């Protein structure tokens, strides 16, 4: 068996082995999967349940350098969701390709018995190249899903993603509550009263999610919290004054007075300019009945049914397509995905906007 860089990336067995290795040894957490899983849709525009309020309006996401067709933005009526288009192209580094060629040369001159071990070395070498491609659309959804959870809407413009985000605009019909400054001094009592009033229509919430900043500013920083803490857990004022309250302690306090447990979120995603983006907005609290609140709808990309001549495509989670190809300017790795998060019952999710609490 003789391998070149071209035959290596066009060999389905090797590429699938690399994809399997990436999925098995995944080092990066995919945050959106806490809230749901993939579900296929056969059409790019499909009906969705949004309750009685107009909900989702989605545009297109696509890599600007990958020569995929841009679609015109359409106005969608109530109860319709349109798949978002994701795609990026990454140019492979010449020095890294030279290292890969050295391993291939070693493979080609080895005897058959030794080639298996060297092939494993080749797979391990290119795993990181595929990892970037395989995780990129997941990381975009890791930004979109928490933003939707905490604000009920998300917008992505070209400036947010220089590699190709053209437009995404989603708004969901959450039930929003916006307390004013009068609720600040008795915020825990305010939460109790609001959640008790919501119970008849929305049922029992199992948790409330918030950022760590919101937890310390609005919960631990509440004037009522110290007294409530002492009432439930005993005389432990030291913890309150010293800032040593954990979410587990606070949850014990809250469930003790009939409130949902607290889940603190402090997740970040690295953006393409090297900065880290906080995923969960401050000054927001979202009440969930359980974690299973969405399905990531996916559609087979057009390129899988009408491929570019001369290119071989592999698939991964959510019918994502991956290919590697060479042109006169270099060698590239490219992915295409058609995904959109569909919230199952967004009109049953409650969000507190604390921006005017003071």
């Amino acid at each position: 068996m003789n391998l070149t860089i071209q035959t290596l990336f066009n060999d389905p067995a090797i590429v699938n082995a690399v994809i399997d290795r990436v999925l098995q040894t995944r080092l990066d957490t995919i945050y959106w999967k806490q809230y749901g899983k993939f579900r296929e849709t056969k059409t790019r525009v499909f009906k969705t349940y949004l309750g009685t309020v107009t909900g989702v309006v989605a545009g297109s996401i696509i890599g600007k350098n990958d020569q995929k067709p841009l679609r015109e933005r359409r106005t969608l009526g109530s109860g319709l969701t349109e798949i978002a288009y994701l795609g990026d192209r990454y140019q492979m580094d010449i020095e890294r390709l030279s290292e890969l060629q050295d391993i291939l040369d070693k493979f080609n001159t080895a005897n058959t018995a030794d080639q298996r071990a060297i092939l494993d070395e080749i797979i391990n070498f290119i795993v990181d190249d595929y990892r970037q491609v395989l995780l990129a659309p997941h990381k975009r959804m890791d930004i979109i899903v928490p933003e939707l959870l905490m604000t009920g809407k998300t917008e992505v413009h070209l400036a947010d993603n220089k590699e190709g985000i053209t437009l995404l605009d989603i708004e969901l019909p959450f039930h929003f509550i916006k307390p004013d400054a009068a609720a600040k001094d008795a915020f825990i009592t305010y939460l109790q009263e609001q959640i008790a009033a919501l119970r008849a229509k929305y049922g029992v919430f199992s948790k409330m999610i918030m950022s760590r900043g919101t937890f310390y500013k609005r919960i631990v920083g509440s004037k009522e919290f110290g007294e409530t803490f002492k009432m439930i857990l005993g005389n432990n004022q030291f913890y309150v004054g010293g800032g040593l309250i954990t979410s587990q302690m606070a949850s014990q306090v809250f469930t003790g007075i009939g409130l949902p447990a607290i889940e603190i979120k402090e997740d970040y995603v690295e953006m393409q300019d090297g900065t880290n983006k906080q995923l969960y907005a401050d000054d927001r609290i979202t009440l969930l009945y359980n974690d299973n609140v969405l399905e990531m709808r996916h559609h087979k990309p057009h390129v899988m049914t009408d491929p570019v001549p001369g290119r071989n495509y592999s698939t991964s989670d959510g019918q994502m397509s991956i290919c590697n190809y060479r042109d006169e300017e270099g060698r590239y790795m490219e992915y295409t995905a058609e995904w959109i998060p569909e919230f199952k019952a967004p009109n049953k999710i409650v969000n507190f906007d604390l921006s005017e609490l003071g």
Side-chain angles (χ1 to χ4, degrees):
M1 183 180 181
N2 190 70
L3 279 178
T4 65
I5 290 178
Q6 180 67 20
T7 58
L8 172 70
F9 286 115
N10 284 336
D11 188 316
I14 294 176
V15 171
N16 288 333
V18 173
I19 292 173
D20 289 343
R21 186 75 55 87
V22 172
L23 297 178
Q24 290 168 7
T25 61
R26 186 172 277 156
L27 301 176
D28 300 71
T29 301
I30 296 175
Y31 301 117
W32 73 259
K33 286 191 173 182
Q34 174 185 344
Y35 303 107
K37 57 186 179 180
F38 280 115
R39 181 186 170 197
E40 185 179 8
T41 173
K42 295 295 185 180
T43 58
R44 289 184 171 88
V45 179
F46 55 92
K47 291 183 179 180
T48 187
Y49 174 71
L50 294 172
T52 58
V53 184
T54 300
V56 176
V57 178
S60 299
I61 304 178
I62 192 166
K64 67 177 180 181
N65 294 322
D66 53 12
Q67 299 177 350
K68 297 184 179 73
L70 289 172
R71 299 186 176 253
E72 292 183 1
R73 185 181 183 184
R74 68 179 70 192
T75 301
L76 298 178
S78 174
L80 291 180
T81 298
E82 182 181 3
I83 284 290
Y85 302 83
L86 299 95
D88 285 309
R89 182 172 64 160
Y90 301 91
Q91 186 167 8
M92 300 186 73
D93 183 79
I94 294 297
E95 291 183 1
R96 186 161 178 81
L97 288 171
S98 296
E99 289 183 56
L100 177 58
Q101 185 60 58
D102 290 340
I103 304 175
L104 291 175
D105 291 341
K106 183 170 66 172
F107 176 88
N108 292 330
T109 57
N111 58 49
T112 304
D114 294 332
Q115 281 187 335
R116 169 47 58 185
I118 301 172
L119 182 59
D120 198 55
E121 182 182 350
I122 292 169
I123 290 172
N124 286 332
F125 184 85
I126 60 177
V127 154
D128 196 59
D129 299 285
Y130 275 88
R131 186 180 70 89
Q132 183 179 20
V133 171
L134 289 166
L135 287 175
H138 286 287
K139 293 290 106 179
R140 174 53 62 178
M141 291 304 164
D142 281 350
I143 295 171
I144 289 171
V145 168
E147 193 165 31
L148 286 169
L149 275 171
M150 302 310 287
T151 68
K153 60 184 179 180
T154 185
E155 292 181 344
V156 182
H157 300 290
L158 186 61
D160 296 330
N161 186 331
K162 293 186 173 70
E163 289 298 321
I165 299 299
T166 302
L167 174 68
L168 181 70
D169 185 7
I170 304 175
E171 188 167 348
L172 296 171
F174 290 178
H175 178 68
F176 294 99
I177 300 172
K178 195 171 188 177
D180 57 26
K184 182 177 181 180
D185 289 343
F187 183 60
I188 293 176
T189 297
Y190 173 83
L191 277 179
Q192 283 181 288
E193 293 171 350
Q194 289 293 320
I195 291 174
L198 292 167
R199 196 165 290 136
K201 182 176 180 180
Y202 295 91
V204 177
F205 297 102
S206 68
K207 65 170 64 175
M208 46 186 171
I209 59 175
M210 65 190 75
S211 68
R212 185 166 294 279
T214 302
F215 172 68
Y216 280 113
K217 181 180 179 182
R218 301 303 186 186
I219 304 302
V220 178
S222 169
K223 289 183 179 180
E224 286 187 301
F225 187 78
E227 289 304 314
T228 307
F229 184 91
K230 288 167 63 177
M231 178 183 70
I232 302 296
L233 299 182
N235 190 16
N236 287 300
Q237 188 64 27
F238 164 75
Y239 288 101
V240 178
L244 299 178
I245 299 297
T246 66
S247 59
Q248 290 77 18
M249 291 178 182
S251 289
Q252 189 175 349
V253 172
F254 272 39
T255 54
I257 58 174
L259 288 171
I262 294 173
E263 185 173 308
I264 295 176
K265 311 300 288 188
E266 49 181 349
D267 302 322
Y268 293 83
V269 164
E270 184 176 355
M271 302 299 287
Q272 295 186 8
D273 61 1
T275 60
N276 286 319
K277 180 179 178 63
Q278 179 179 323
L279 300 184
Y280 292 83
D282 290 327
D283 262 345
R284 293 278 188 159
I285 297 175
T286 296
L287 305 181
L288 298 178
Y289 40 90
N290 59 51
D291 275 344
N292 188 23
V293 296
L294 65 85
E295 290 175 327
M296 189 64 71
R297 304 302 297 270
H298 62 91
H299 183 269
K300 179 181 282 190
H302 176 73
V303 74
M304 295 300 289
T305 55
D306 185 19
V308 177
R311 296 186 189 178
N312 292 322
Y313 296 86
S314 299
T315 59
S316 185
D317 289 351
Q319 298 188 96
M320 183 197 327
S321 72
I322 306 104
C323 77
N324 185 290
Y325 64 92
R326 177 81 163 86
D327 64 18
E328 65 277 2
E329 296 180 358
R331 180 167 289 279
Y332 302 90
M333 298 195 71
E334 178 182 285
Y335 75 87
T336 308
E338 297 185 7
W339 299 351
I340 199 73
E342 179 192 17
F343 280 70
K344 295 179 180 179
N347 56 325
K348 293 293 186 180
I349 295 176
V350 175
N351 179 269
F352 286 89
D353 178 354
L354 311 181
S355 57
E356 295 184 3
L357 200 56

